[in-house]
Amino acid sequence: VIFPQQASAFSLEVRNSFSQTLWFAAVDYDDRYNSWRVHGWWSVSPNSTRVVDFNNSNSKRYVYVFGYAGNTIFDGQGTDGALRFTIVNDKFEYYLPDGACPDGRNRRTVTFMRLQISEVEDYVYWEPAAG
């Protein structure tokens, strides 16, 4: 029996042009649960690119991201559509509006940047830049 592979609802390509590992968290809409999901972490090696597929997210046209490389923070402060969510340093996942960020190291609320998902390709490209 052959099962068809589930197509990715959208892909996020992250380019890290820094000499330190880039870590990022994301907020996407999970259609299975009809709610926004806050989760992290993914890593992108120095001077490289990583593509992350969000297989259960196709009904909303935005994804939100927050990241850091070393002491440099990449957030949405001062940008249109930015939202604040609670994160921890450990791997985490929770759903809004009822879920809460799990306990973990360095619990804090940060600002996530809103990125538009391309209508044509179901694709987002993000290359954080030092402010």
Side-chain angles (χ1 to χ4, degrees):
V1 177
I2 298 174
F3 294 99
Q5 285 188 317
Q6 181 178 5
S8 172
F10 78 89
S11 296
L12 170 63
E13 180 178 337
V14 180
R15 170 79 184 136
N16 178 11
S17 58
F18 295 91
S19 60
Q20 295 178 304
T21 298
L22 170 67
W23 292 92
F24 71 95
V27 181
D28 67 305
Y29 193 82
D30 189 322
D31 295 321
R32 294 173 305 172
Y33 298 104
N34 292 321
S35 62
W36 289 93
R37 174 177 54 172
V38 185
H39 53 134
W41 294 94
W42 291 270
S43 64
V44 184
S45 298
N47 299 304
S48 68
T49 301
R50 178 170 183 180
V51 175
V52 176
D53 295 324
F54 292 82
N55 295 323
N56 298 309
S57 184
N58 61 13
S59 65
K60 304 294 183 189
R61 302 313 308 167
Y62 297 105
V63 61
Y64 298 83
V65 294
F66 168 86
Y68 67 91
N71 292 325
T72 305
I73 302 293
F74 309 105
D75 63 13
Q77 288 192 31
T79 63
D80 288 340
L83 296 173
R84 294 178 56 80
F85 300 100
T86 303
I87 62 171
V88 293
N89 281 9
D90 307 300
K91 183 176 175 86
F92 67 94
E93 178 179 81
Y94 65 98
Y95 289 84
L96 302 171
D98 299 326
C101 185
D103 291 335
R105 294 175 297 130
N106 196 18
R107 185 183 182 91
R108 64 215 182 269
T109 300
V110 298
T111 305
F112 281 66
M113 175 186 310
R114 182 176 71 181
L115 302 175
Q116 177 80 40
I117 300 169
S118 168
E119 296 274 344
V120 176
E121 300 174 339
D122 292 325
Y123 192 80
V124 181
Y125 179 78
W126 181 47
E127 182 174 2

